[in-house]
Amino acid sequence: MAGSSHPRRLFLVGCPRSGTTLVQSLLAAGPELTSFTESHFFDRAFPPPPLDRWRVRAAADRLREFAAENNLLPDQARVPFDAADDGPGPAAAAFTALLDSAAADRGYGGWVEKTPDHLFRIGAIRRHVPGAEFVHVLRGPDATVRSLVRASRDWGKPRSALAFGVKWLLCARLSGRCRGRPGHHVVFYDDLVADPETGARALYAALGLAWSPDIMSRYREVARDLVVSGETWKSKNFDDIARRPAAPPAGGAYRLLAPWLRRRYGALHGAGG
C-alpha cells in the first residue's frame, strides 16, 4: 500500500469451496504478494465466550503450528509467539508480525491470508490488523453446495445440502453487506473461470497490483505450496482453470431453498460496484 509503514495485508474470505484457493494462487503468483496455507487463526484467537480463555491458549499453539507448516523460522524478537497467550489483541499482533516477517524474508511487499471462514471475523481483524483489506469470493450456490457436500465426506463431517445452503446464504449476505465499502473487493468465481486471464487482470487492477505475464502459467505450481498434505478436495487447483457444470445437489429440502438462493446470487452478481 503506497505510503504505508507496513506491508500490504490482504485477507481472502468467502464460503468454503467457492474458489478461494484459485484466487489465492493467482494473487500469490504475481510479483508483489506471498501467501500461506490456511491459518484458521482468528477462529482460535477470537472465539465466543465461554470458550475464549481456553481457545486463546490454543491460538498460541496454532501460531507455532502454522509457522512450522509454512517453513517460517523468523527471528524470535520479531515474532512474539509467547505473547499470543496474553489475549486476542497480543495474539493478533503476533500473527501479523509473523506474516509481515515472512513477506520481508521472502522479498515481497505484502501477503494474502486465505481462510474462508475469516469472513465471520472481519470485525476483529479490522480492529487488530492495521491496514487489513478483504477480497471476497462468491460462487453460485448450486456448485458451491455440491462441492461442500462432497468435501464434507473427506473432512469426516458429512452434512446435508440444506445445511450447506444455509451456510452459503450466510456467507453471501456478509459479503454483500461489505461490497462497495473501502478495503473490500468482491470476485465472482463464475466470471473468473469463464475468462481466466481477463478476470485475473481485472482483479489485479482493482487491487492496484502489478501484472506479470507469467502469472497464468505459475499459479498451478504456486497452489501446491498453499495446500496441506491430505487436502485432497483442493487437488483441482493444480489443473488448468475449467468451468464445471453446476447441477443442483440431490435432496428435496435443498431443492426447495435453491431457487431463492439463485435469485440472491443473481441480485449480487447484477449489482454494480
Side-chain angles (χ1 to χ4, degrees), residues 140-265:
D142 288 347
T144 305
V145 170
R146 193 176 188 89
S147 184
L148 279 166
V149 170
R150 286 197 302 263
S152 69
R153 300 180 190 125
D154 293 333
W155 302 336
K157 298 177 180 179
R159 294 174 65 188
S160 69
L162 178 61
F164 283 128
V166 172
K167 169 83 170 183
W168 182 92
L169 178 61
L170 291 173
C171 293
R173 280 180 169 173
L174 282 174
S175 290
R177 290 171 186 165
C178 292
R179 193 177 189 189
R181 295 180 182 176
H184 293 268
H185 181 75
V186 174
V187 179
F188 287 92
Y189 173 86
D190 301 291
D191 294 343
L192 180 61
V193 298
D195 190 344
E197 183 164 343
T198 298
R201 283 179 176 271
L203 173 60
Y204 268 70
L207 294 173
L209 296 171
W211 179 261
S212 174
D214 64 349
I215 288 171
M216 299 309 296
S217 60
R218 289 192 65 238
Y219 77 90
R220 290 182 296 272
E221 191 59 34
V222 169
R224 295 182 184 277
D225 293 329
L226 305 176
V227 174
V228 175
S229 175
E231 291 181 327
T232 55
W233 55 92
K234 297 181 181 179
S235 61
K236 287 185 174 64
N237 289 284
F238 310 148
D239 302 331
D240 290 338
I241 298 172
R243 195 168 195 168
R244 298 178 177 88
Y254 176 78
R255 289 179 184 276
L256 293 174
L257 180 64
W260 189 63
L261 298 183
R262 293 174 199 139
R263 287 194 295 271
R264 176 68 177 169
Y265 179 68

Side-chain angles (χ1 to χ4, degrees), residues 97-111:
L98 176 63
L99 271 60
D100 286 354
S101 176
D105 290 346
R106 294 176 177 181
Y108 289 90
W111 45 262

